[in-house]
Amino acid sequence: MTIPATDNTSETAPSKSEAGITLEILRYIPGTHSEPTFQRFEIPYVEDWSMLDALGYIKDELDSSLSYRWSCRMAVCGSCGMMFDGVPKLACETFLRDYYPRPIRVEPLENFGIERDLVIDQEPFLEKLESVKPYIIDAMANAPSGKPGAPAGHERETIQAGENRQTPKELALFDQYSMCINCLLCYSACPQFGLNPAFLGPAAISLAHRYNQDNRDQGNADRAPALNEEDGVWSCTFVGYCSEVCPKSVDPASAIQQEKVRGATDWALSWLLPKGAR
Amino acid sequence: MRQSPYHRPRDPFWYMRRSVYRRYMVREATSVFIGLWMLNLILGILQLSRGEAAWTAWLTWQQHPLMLTFSGLTLIMAMVHTTTWFAIAPKAMPKFIAGKAVVHQQVVIGHWLVFGLVSLFLLVAVYWGA
Amino acid sequence: MSEAFETVHADVIVIGAGGAGLRSAIAAAQANPAAKVALISKVYPMRSHTVCAEGGAAGVVQAHDSLENHFNDTVSGGDWLCDQDVVDYFTHHATEEMVQLEHWGCPWSRKEDGSAAVRRFGGMKIERTWYAADKTGFHILHTLFQTSLQYPNIHRFDEFFCTDLIVDDGRCQGVIAIEIKTGDIKVFLGKAIVLATGGAGRVFRFNTNGAIVTGDGMSMAYRAGAVLRDMEFVQYHPTGLPGSGVLITEGCRGEGGILLNRHGYRYLQDYGLGPETPIGKPENKYMELGPRDKLSQAFWHEQRKGNTVPTPLGDAVMLDLTHLGEAKLLQRLPMICSLARHYVGIDPAKEPIPVRPAVHYTMGGIRTDIHTQTEIAGLYAAGECSSIGLHGANRLGSNSLAELLVFGKVAGEQAADHASRQPPCNNDTLLSFAKDKVAELTALREQKGTEKASRLRHEMAAAMEKAFGIYRLGDEMQTGLDTINELRARYKQVNVEDQSRVFNTEFLTTLELGSCLELAQVMATSALQRKESRGAHQRLDDYKTRDDEKYLRHTLMRYSPDGKPILDYEAVNITRSQPKERAYGAAGEQQNKQEGGS
Ligand SMILES: Cc1cc2nc3c(=O)[nH]c(=O)nc-3n(C[C@H](O)[C@H](O)[C@H](O)COP(=O)(O)OP(=O)(O)OC[C@H]3O[C@@H](n4cnc5c(N)ncnc54)[C@H](O)[C@@H]3O)c2cc1C
Ligand code: SF4
Ligand code: FES
């Protein structure tokens, strides 16, 4: 048997063997299927192949109608999240060798609407992300660059003033939360999001927290309404699985808990302090 | 025209599927016991306000084997709850306090220390008070 | 049969939401808050290929550095094929763009005092590469994307695949796109269009590029009558992982990593990059910090000499980072540690990483003037899809990310300005033009052919790699070009099996293949005709040296309906740096001394 190399596998096909492995992939094509069903594919087993290589083989050689998202194949673009044997993972960072010789069950990310095959609807996430204002607000009073409609001349001045100071320690307060690749694995891991699709969710809250923690930002109050709503941080019951599946060690669960602490403190202060002193 | 995406029906027993979820459900379930025991306590206080006879009756009821089992169970549940909460407590802490990195293990140990001290204080207070 | 389509109107249309596209959308939105900016991308913006850039972005900051240094490094790095007025504009504006990004929240790595840190990079004389650990592109892209969310006049069209530009009356006035999630066709009409669709690395087999880097925009512009320039210059990056081609950033060598052959010898000293610099004391423009083309060529020679290390995934050399120690590796190169662990099973703190050259970057692209204006009125181009004249025959690492920002901004401002001076589009003629294009698209989708797109793609990538790799030979190139022409003929018979509309990725990859084949032909023809060796274009036949007399010129390619590109040349804009020998290592130092430079 010859194994045609896919674009993203090696030019010298790695350790060829007669061995094979089975993938059971959830298929759903609107208009063709009334509901999703599993389809079995027998493919050659190549030790170096990631799941993405395996899917590429299927698409090129066995069934060109299989649809899934992918691009970077180096775990940074966040396109290829899927469920493997019920666990959300990145296809490009999951390897056949970790399952061989058992068959592998491949499904689209849980808790999302399915557009087709392994492609899920990401639109709701983008709306949530937008709602937490994930950008620098009022950077350092003297550098309000980038505000809509800010006069061009003004921007020039602030650029001329040079970069803001930010010590490595100040950077460390938020850098972990800035590592989110928006792969949405954490949403698949979250039973609360499964029960309540309106929940803001782990990644959007982590990014809000990232900006709240940034010493250049003054936007905490602007983000508070979205965060402290019923569907905000308080929908989280701290299951903690989101942090376990996150491929970038963002630890969204910790971001949510810290935003709960911030929300509760602000609320308490709003009662204790007279208006204006806050 | 866009068809709306397909939503798979939700598994009503979703929480049985993963050990993480099962552990989470156990943690949540423990609070039921604690809640019930709190009700019992409130009842006790009510009885106390009703006079000595009511209070003694309540106390005797507490010594009934059924109630003893229930209290024992609640104690175990409370310990499970405490342990799981303390284990995840570090996540609610900021990454740095006063410029120093927060060490997760220390947070957990700290919680247990405070817990131990408060318990000890209460035990001693009750002992001396009695 | 043509199908019905919806029309979307905008003032400025930006195609592509990578670094260049987002920067120009923001610039256009700022320049005219009343203008409607449509930002179209075939993937969600944060999936764009800019996300993969690891190393950093160049901008002069240190007191002992100067714009002149950056200029000289860029021009000599590009083997004097750079337009020097463009390089000047670029070096003057790069740093302010880094600062602008900082104000927008980019988490640049910092020095203890809180100012931005810079690192060494190949071919750069003095450290001037700004970085955010080894995820610079990721952070730049997410910062730009998140910042763009605050502009209400930027209207995003995510997962819309553009197929053809609409040109009427010599003016570009729109684009045709497929809404991926429905398969419906939408026609976008606008007064100014910015192309920011990225490179075309996927024309080659072994590459560092993501799946989406298929040169769609270059091909679209070319077919619409714009000129493609310098397409023969394709950069090999010396350090990709064998097998996958995943990039191991130049930042590794900037931090002090060394390259070893199978004898544990630092072979670069044999290729004009020496003398050997002490381990742990990298020196700019010496040894491992030489430019990419030279390093990739050295690999080729070592492989011929049998000095490379055979691995199950092909021949490699060893990138040794072990002397940097685990702590520094985890701080400066965390992603590299994780990539090495996952894709080759190696801990860089303990063992060297096997690496080999891989296609990385297309220096050529859509020809623009210094204002990012293309041949077609109303059409602008920025980023890797463009050829503004900055990179010449070989791009220096970290100049590309800076280019996205500097010229992305220019393109956005120019487009906004142009749009404000245009009368509304003439709908009727445009729509009838669009109808024809839509009919072509539908025909392709429904065609019953005999060829399988994935087969053609593999054959194209293999042919290009064989004939237009690190070194090129006249007759091999001719064979390569013949193969490509044959594949182009077979492409006409391509069969799209998948007949469904929703997320039909087979149809989209077939369109991408069409673009790739178009560009492969242009690259091949340009390369065959350039009878000299310069930068990334190195020949081993009778044209081993640079020939300034005949070829200190840009290659131009125009589309012709008969399928044979029309070749032309144009002069390079040389303002003050006359071509010299490109020298690195001790020879470079010598050259500097003779000129009284420092
Ligand atoms: C692995 C790697 C590492 C790199 N590291 C560095 C580095 O350290 N420093 C440096 O300076 N440079 C680096 N580069 C180069 C640099 O990253 C790229 O040149 C640059 O990111 C290209 O950006 P862009 O905005 O032009 O295109 P991209 O980021 O590729 O974006 C293209 C956009 O166009 C859209 N698009 C394409 N076709 C269509 C279509 N048909 N319809 C609709 N939309 C379309 C895509 O969706 C995408 O949004 C690196 C490159 C690679 C591959
Ligand atoms: S927090 Fe982690 S799991 Fe969630 S989207 Fe971001 S990177 Fe993915
Ligand atoms: S393909 Fe980009 S994250 Fe997997």
Side-chain angles (χ1 to χ4, degrees):
Chain A
M1 179 168 51
T2 54
I3 302 165
T6 57
D7 284 356
N8 46 330
T9 50
S10 84
E11 117 199 69
T12 46
S15 52
K16 286 181 206 163
S17 68
E18 294 297 321
I21 189 166
T22 304
L23 260 56
E24 294 170 2
I25 304 180
L26 195 76
R27 299 299 308 271
Y28 171 68
I29 304 179
T32 308
H33 305 143
S34 59
E35 59 174 24
T37 45
F38 282 98
Q39 187 181 352
R40 286 171 71 92
F41 292 98
E42 314 284 335
I43 60 164
Y45 170 68
V46 182
E47 202 188 330
D48 291 290
W49 273 4
S50 69
M51 291 295 177
L52 199 57
D53 295 325
L55 293 175
Y57 175 84
I58 293 173
K59 188 160 181 69
D60 284 353
E61 305 299 328
L62 305 178
D63 185 346
S64 60
S65 71
L66 177 68
S67 284
Y68 53 96
R69 290 188 178 101
W70 71 286
S71 177
C72 71
R73 47 93 182 88
M74 55 191 272
V76 68
C77 77
S79 304
C80 68
M82 300 169 197
M83 314 288 289
F84 296 102
D85 284 351
V87 180
K89 291 182 172 191
L90 296 177
C92 62
E93 216 181 27
T94 306
F95 296 88
L96 290 183
R97 57 176 178 264
D98 297 330
Y99 294 80
Y100 183 76
R102 286 177 291 118
I104 309 162
R105 204 156 241 245
V106 188
E107 293 163 273
L109 282 182
E110 203 164 289
N111 298 337
F112 289 95
I114 305 176
E115 298 279 4
R116 167 179 179 161
D117 295 342
L118 301 170
V119 177
I120 51 140
D121 180 14
Q122 310 195 338
E123 218 47 54
F125 167 70
L126 276 115
E127 280 158 28
K128 286 171 187 171
L129 179 63
E130 213 159 323
S131 77
V132 300
K133 303 190 196 282
Y135 34 80
I136 296 276
I137 295 175
D138 273 342
M140 305 233 143
N142 66 344
S145 56
K147 279 188 114 183
H154 188 50
E155 187 165 295
R156 274 231 77 80
E157 266 166 45
T158 60
I159 296 292
Q160 231 98 77
E163 81 258 32
N164 297 300
R165 297 286 134 150
Q166 182 168 67
T167 63
K169 271 200 179 128
E170 286 166 326
L171 176 63
L173 281 175
F174 72 88
D175 64 346
Q176 163 190 339
Y177 305 105
S178 72
M179 299 298 177
C180 172
I181 60 173
N182 302 358
C183 65
L184 310 186
L185 301 191
C186 50
Y187 284 78
S188 270
C190 176
Q192 292 303 339
F193 174 64
L195 294 167
N196 171 21
F199 174 35
L200 202 48
I205 298 175
S206 298
L207 284 160
H209 184 62
R210 170 249 178 275
Y211 283 98
N212 278 347
Q213 291 289 95
D214 192 322
N215 64 318
R216 297 167 292 185
D217 177 82
Q218 318 267 305
N220 292 15
D222 298 80
R223 289 181 201 101
L227 289 172
N228 290 324
E229 239 191 11
E230 205 180 310
D231 296 327
V233 290
W234 305 107
S235 278
C236 165
T237 53
F238 210 164
V239 180
Y241 192 39
C242 54
S243 291
E244 257 176 63
V245 302
C246 175
K248 296 288 143 190
S249 307
V250 171
D251 199 354
S254 80
I256 303 176
Q257 306 326 308
Q258 290 175 52
E259 284 303 322
K260 281 184 190 167
V261 173
R262 191 196 309 275
T265 321
D266 287 353
W267 180 82
L269 285 179
S270 74
W271 286 96
L272 291 175
L273 297 178
K275 273 223 154 66
R278 275 178 257 148
Chain B
M1 251 289 292
R2 175 163 188 223
Q3 269 198 324
S4 57
Y6 184 91
H7 287 270
R8 295 168 89 185
R10 200 171 166 72
D11 176 4
F13 297 106
W14 59 269
Y15 45 83
M16 294 306 290
R17 274 218 315 265
R18 292 189 182 119
S19 63
V20 197
Y21 291 172
R22 286 192 293 269
R23 259 180 284 139
Y24 159 75
M25 286 310 259
V26 168
R27 191 185 84 206
E28 297 295 288
T30 54
S31 42
V32 175
F33 283 82
I34 298 166
L36 286 175
W37 206 85
M38 289 307 287
L39 273 180
N40 176 42
L41 196 69
I42 291 169
L43 205 77
I45 294 168
L46 220 72
Q47 297 296 68
L48 187 64
S49 70
R50 290 230 190 110
E52 181 143 10
W55 172 240
T56 335
W58 187 80
L59 277 183
T60 327
W61 167 233
Q62 296 307 302
Q63 277 147 28
H64 189 279
L66 254 177
M67 274 315 282
L68 282 178
T69 323
F70 173 62
S71 296
L73 254 165
T74 306
L75 183 66
I76 295 172
M77 290 296 173
M79 287 312 287
V80 170
H81 199 94
T82 313
T83 316
T84 51
W85 263 112
F86 283 8
I88 50 181
K91 289 221 193 279
M93 304 288 286
K95 288 176 73 186
F96 297 89
I97 291 177
K100 287 226 173 67
V102 173
V103 183
H104 282 189
Q105 222 178 346
Q106 285 175 5
V107 175
V108 180
I109 295 173
H111 272 75
W112 280 111
L113 271 179
V114 173
F115 175 78
L117 283 176
V118 172
S119 304
L120 200 71
F121 174 80
L122 285 178
L123 274 176
V124 170
V126 169
Y127 180 77
W128 281 98
Chain C
M1 185 197 73
S2 169
E3 63 176 74
F5 50 78
E6 221 180 284
T7 315
V8 180
H9 288 268
D11 295 292
V12 175
I13 299 173
V14 179
I15 306 174
L22 285 164
R23 185 67 188 89
S24 48
I26 294 174
Q30 282 184 331
N32 182 0
K36 176 176 175 187
V37 180
L39 178 58
I40 312 176
S41 170
K42 66 177 173 181
V43 293
Y44 280 100
M46 62 280 190
R47 322 284 183 219
S48 298
H49 191 61
T50 299
V51 80
C52 293
E54 298 168 2
V60 170
V61 274
Q62 303 200 80
H64 62 285
D65 196 2
S66 70
L67 298 179
E68 194 60 20
N69 283 337
H70 194 183
F71 172 91
N72 285 328
D73 288 346
T74 304
V75 171
S76 69
D79 224 348
W80 278 272
L81 205 65
C82 310
D83 286 325
Q84 298 182 3
D85 55 337
V86 171
V87 180
D88 261 326
Y89 183 89
F90 168 75
T91 56
H92 278 83
H93 292 83
T95 307
E96 68 186 39
E97 281 300 314
M98 302 306 141
V99 173
Q100 173 65 83
L101 264 189
E102 195 280 337
H103 289 187
W104 281 336
C106 184
W108 294 119
S109 292
R110 305 282 182 155
K111 294 196 274 217
E112 273 314 314
D113 71 352
S115 59
V118 281
R119 65 161 48 129
R120 293 165 206 277
F121 235 66
M124 298 280 189
K125 183 187 172 107
I126 291 171
E127 310 72 51
R128 62 174 80 97
T129 297
W130 297 52
Y131 61 98
D134 54 359
K135 296 187 177 178
T136 312
F138 163 82
H139 284 301
I140 290 183
L141 186 69
H142 280 251
T143 302
L144 285 173
F145 170 56
Q146 289 165 6
T147 298
S148 80
L149 294 176
Q150 65 189 299
Y151 295 92
N153 55 335
I154 298 181
H155 301 258
R156 280 201 340 270
F157 295 86
D158 297 334
E159 301 200 320
F160 279 71
F161 187 103
C162 295
T163 62
D164 291 279
L165 294 170
I166 300 175
V167 181
D168 180 55
D169 197 15
R171 266 175 65 204
C172 185
Q173 305 186 57
V175 65
I176 295 168
I178 302 168
E179 183 178 27
I180 299 178
K181 107 171 47 161
T182 59
D184 293 348
I185 290 173
K186 290 234 159 72
V187 172
F188 291 81
L189 296 183
K191 298 174 188 162
I193 320 287
V194 178
L195 275 170
T197 49
R202 285 265 154 183
V203 168
F204 290 79
R205 172 147 78 179
F206 192 76
N207 66 71
T208 65
N209 288 192
I212 59 171
V213 190
T214 50
D216 308 0
M218 294 181 190
S219 158
M220 251 186 277
Y222 172 66
R223 282 179 281 121
V227 170
L228 294 182
R229 181 165 71 176
D230 294 341
M231 291 296 288
E232 64 272 40
F233 297 102
V234 176
Q235 179 170 76
Y236 268 79
H237 194 292
T239 58
L241 289 181
S244 60
V246 163
L247 180 78
I248 298 300
T249 174
E250 193 158 305
C252 292
R253 285 168 283 133
E255 297 294 344
I258 54 171
L259 283 169
L260 305 171
N261 66 14
R262 67 186 293 176
H263 310 296
Y265 173 68
R266 289 173 70 191
Y267 59 93
L268 292 175
Q269 56 192 293
D270 298 349
Y271 300 93
L273 293 159
E276 192 172 340
T277 50
I279 292 179
K281 290 209 177 65
E283 258 189 71
N284 302 314
K285 295 177 100 167
Y286 277 82
M287 294 296 287
E288 284 80 7
L289 291 178
R292 292 177 176 173
D293 53 344
K294 302 262 177 210
L295 264 65
S296 299
Q297 289 151 18
F299 173 90
W300 189 93
H301 289 292
E302 286 293 293
Q303 192 177 28
R304 292 289 141 126
K305 291 184 194 160
N307 286 341
T308 46
V309 185
T311 80
L313 298 168
D315 289 345
V317 286
M318 290 300 182
L319 174 64
D320 191 350
L321 300 172
T322 51
H323 53 278
L324 297 180
E326 187 159 355
K328 185 163 179 184
L329 282 175
L330 285 177
Q331 188 210 346
R332 301 282 180 88
L333 302 164
M335 180 150 90
I336 293 307
C337 294
S338 123
L339 290 173
R341 205 176 56 237
H342 278 110
Y343 297 106
V344 283
I346 274 175
D347 175 359
K350 302 210 174 81
E351 280 173 274
I353 312 171
V355 290
R356 55 155 287 178
V359 163
H360 184 57
Y361 187 85
T362 37
M363 263 76 70
I366 307 159
R367 179 191 180 279
T368 72
D369 65 12
I370 194 170
H371 306 295
T372 72
Q373 159 81 57
T374 70
E375 238 73 4
I376 305 172
L379 182 65
Y380 301 81
E384 194 172 335
C385 72
S386 72
S387 163
I388 198 168
L390 174 63
H391 304 305
N394 173 55
R395 169 185 72 107
L396 286 194
S398 77
N399 265 357
S400 171
L401 287 175
E403 174 197 16
L404 307 181
L405 303 165
V406 171
F407 293 109
K409 178 179 179 195
V410 174
E413 287 174 349
Q414 292 285 329
D417 178 55
H418 181 83
S420 70
R421 290 184 283 103
Q422 290 302 309
C425 321
N426 178 354
N427 276 352
D428 294 341
T429 40
L430 295 182
L431 289 181
S432 81
F433 179 89
K435 252 194 200 112
D436 296 344
K437 288 283 168 198
V438 170
E440 278 172 34
L441 267 183
T442 328
L444 178 65
R445 174 151 64 186
E446 284 162 9
Q447 152 173 321
K448 290 276 152 281
T450 49
E451 294 286 348
K452 204 169 152 66
S454 58
R455 263 295 124 62
L456 299 179
R457 195 175 73 234
H458 294 312
E459 287 180 34
M460 168 193 71
M464 289 302 284
E465 174 149 306
K466 182 150 186 285
F468 300 94
I470 297 174
Y471 281 107
R472 300 163 171 185
L473 286 159
D475 47 352
E476 270 186 28
M477 284 195 281
Q478 187 58 55
T479 318
L481 177 59
D482 294 345
T483 312
I484 296 299
N485 283 331
E486 205 178 292
L487 291 170
R488 279 166 55 85
R490 284 168 60 193
Y491 178 77
K492 296 212 170 82
Q493 295 307 316
V494 76
N495 184 37
V496 182
E497 284 167 34
D498 186 351
Q499 288 296 312
S500 56
R501 298 173 63 90
V502 176
F503 238 96
N504 185 338
T505 47
E506 189 195 358
F507 181 47
L508 301 181
T509 45
T510 303
L511 291 172
E512 290 173 342
L513 173 66
S515 296
C516 283
L517 281 169
E518 198 86 68
L519 299 177
Q521 187 198 31
V522 174
M523 287 172 179
T525 317
S526 309
L528 199 56
Q529 295 305 326
R530 184 172 281 276
K531 295 183 175 132
E532 64 156 354
S533 291
R534 182 188 298 270
H537 176 71
Q538 293 291 320
R539 298 179 63 136
L540 284 178
D541 44 13
D542 295 340
Y543 310 106
K544 285 199 197 69
T545 52
R546 199 174 79 193
D547 181 353
D548 287 333
E549 193 99 354
K550 287 206 192 104
Y551 287 102
L552 187 55
R553 295 190 297 176
H554 295 295
T555 312
L556 307 182
M557 284 283 178
R558 279 197 182 79
Y559 177 79
S560 120
D562 70 3
K564 286 217 177 71
I566 302 163
L567 174 74
D568 200 356
Y569 290 96
E570 80 177 333
V572 175
N573 186 341
I574 292 177
T575 56
R576 62 177 184 282
S577 170
Q578 291 305 319
K580 290 190 289 260
E581 203 198 328
R582 259 175 94 203
Y584 292 90
E589 196 58 30
Q590 191 64 27
Q591 197 181 59
N592 269 334
K593 282 217 184 84
Q594 279 165 6
E595 284 155 23
S598 59

